[in-house]
Amino acid sequence: MPELPEVETTVNGLRGVLQDQRITLIQTRRADLRRPFPVDLGQRLTGAVVTGLRRRAKYGLIDTDRGDTMIFHLGMSGRWRVDPGETLPHDHLIVETADHRLALNDPRRFGSLDLVETGSLAAYPPFVAMGPEPLGPDFTASYLLEALRGRIASIKLMLLDQRIVAGLGNIYVCEALHLARIAPMRAAGQVSLPRLDRLVEAVRIVLAAAIEAGGSTLRDYARPDGELGYFSRQWRVYGREGEPCECGGIVKRYAEGGRSTFWCSKCQR
């Protein structure tokens, strides 16, 4: 599933072709993705000017001058294609401006697209209980210390909880915990403030590097320009079971919460 860096990369790519552009056509080529498309999508957005593009957790937001925001989630296999040479069977939504044609392609249809009044975004159900952005100013060691106080669940699972921090996924949590030298199975409430400070810095370093690299290539993910992300070449532990860690230890794997966790028992404590 595309994670925060993949969505950030997607939004950055769309910004170059949609910012300040007037939408001339909205066409749905089926009734739904994971949920039905808004029935008034074309009526509300045709003729609207895109005033901004941003990200919240793993969602992309496209703001317009009509006070509406289109919210998209890429699901397992979704991606935007910019100026495609042809329309493919899984291009389920077409957006056109005077200069560009964009197609939202989603073979598995686990993605979603909603239209919400911009002023009501805080009440959008997935956003209501969402924690702070990991790249934002509210994500600090002091915040984590309070949020995790008394928690016996592992630090790995707590970082994946969107109520604790928004947008972190399995790959980047594994990578950040390794960089911060924290064992993923350690009880979250037992991680000290100095370690949490190290963890916050590690999360930001890993996410920034992944965004710069265009994300990680997993299954069907590609950037809007069609290029593949290459952060997977920089993975420290993820997907590297049995390989040597930079510290001289061996990368191990275990399953928790339905996900594989990769770590090094020598340098992560």
Side-chain angles (χ1 to χ4, degrees):
M1 177 182 292
E3 296 187 15
L4 185 155
E6 288 78 38
V7 178
E8 184 76 20
T9 300
T10 295
V11 168
N12 289 340
L14 293 177
R15 186 178 292 113
V17 295
L18 281 180
Q19 180 68 47
D20 299 326
Q21 297 299 302
R22 187 177 301 278
I23 297 172
T24 58
L25 173 72
I26 293 278
Q27 178 189 10
T28 55
R29 303 185 67 241
R30 60 173 294 115
D32 57 5
L33 293 176
R34 187 175 63 204
R35 298 189 299 274
F37 284 114
V39 294
D40 56 352
L41 184 66
Q43 178 183 352
R44 289 168 65 179
L45 290 187
T46 301
V49 174
V50 175
T51 56
L53 295 97
R54 50 199 169 118
R55 177 195 52 76
R56 176 66 168 128
K58 300 176 187 179
Y59 293 82
L61 283 68
I62 302 175
D63 300 321
T64 73
D65 65 348
R66 292 186 178 175
D68 291 319
T69 296
M70 184 163 61
I71 305 173
F72 66 86
H73 192 287
L74 297 174
M76 294 292 292
S77 61
R79 65 187 181 100
W80 286 93
R81 303 197 307 131
V82 176
D83 296 327
E86 59 179 340
T87 301
L88 299 179
H90 298 297
D91 289 343
H92 302 309
L93 174 71
I94 304 298
V95 178
E96 292 185 1
T97 68
D99 299 319
H100 296 284
R101 187 172 191 266
L102 294 88
L104 179 58
N105 184 280
D106 190 354
R108 300 180 186 181
R109 302 201 309 274
F110 287 158
S112 64
L113 189 139
D114 293 305
L115 192 60
V116 176
E117 291 184 2
T118 306
S120 302
L121 281 173
Y124 180 60
F127 295 169
V128 170
M130 200 171 272
E133 288 286 328
L135 293 174
D138 296 330
F139 183 63
T140 65
S142 297
Y143 161 75
L144 279 180
L145 187 69
E146 290 302 315
L148 301 176
R149 189 179 299 279
R151 300 285 191 131
I152 61 174
S154 72
I155 184 65
K156 162 82 182 300
L157 287 183
M158 287 292 93
L159 290 176
L160 291 174
D161 188 333
Q162 300 298 291
R163 297 167 296 182
I164 300 296
V165 55
L168 289 184
N170 194 42
I171 294 173
Y172 302 106
V173 168
C174 287
E175 292 292 293
L177 285 170
H178 180 263
L179 182 59
R181 304 189 304 281
I182 298 172
M185 72 287 294
R186 178 179 287 275
Q190 295 179 5
V191 182
S192 66
L193 185 61
R195 284 178 171 235
L196 290 175
D197 193 55
R198 211 162 63 214
L199 177 59
V200 167
E201 181 181 8
V203 166
R204 290 179 172 154
I205 289 172
V206 166
L207 291 179
I211 291 168
E212 184 177 358
S216 300
T217 300
L218 286 177
R219 296 182 180 176
D220 305 311
Y221 170 71
R223 297 184 294 189
D225 61 6
E227 293 296 318
L228 300 176
Y230 56 89
F231 184 69
S232 57
R233 301 176 188 173
Q234 303 177 40
W235 286 347
R236 305 167 64 89
V237 288
Y238 188 84
R240 295 186 55 212
E241 181 184 9
E243 296 181 25
C245 172
E246 60 186 21
C247 74
I250 300 297
V251 176
K252 300 179 180 180
R253 181 186 70 86
Y254 69 91
E256 182 181 30
R259 300 178 178 91
S260 290
T261 299
F262 297 89
W263 72 298
C264 173
S265 59
K266 183 176 180 180
C267 65
Q268 290 179 259
R269 302 291 182 180

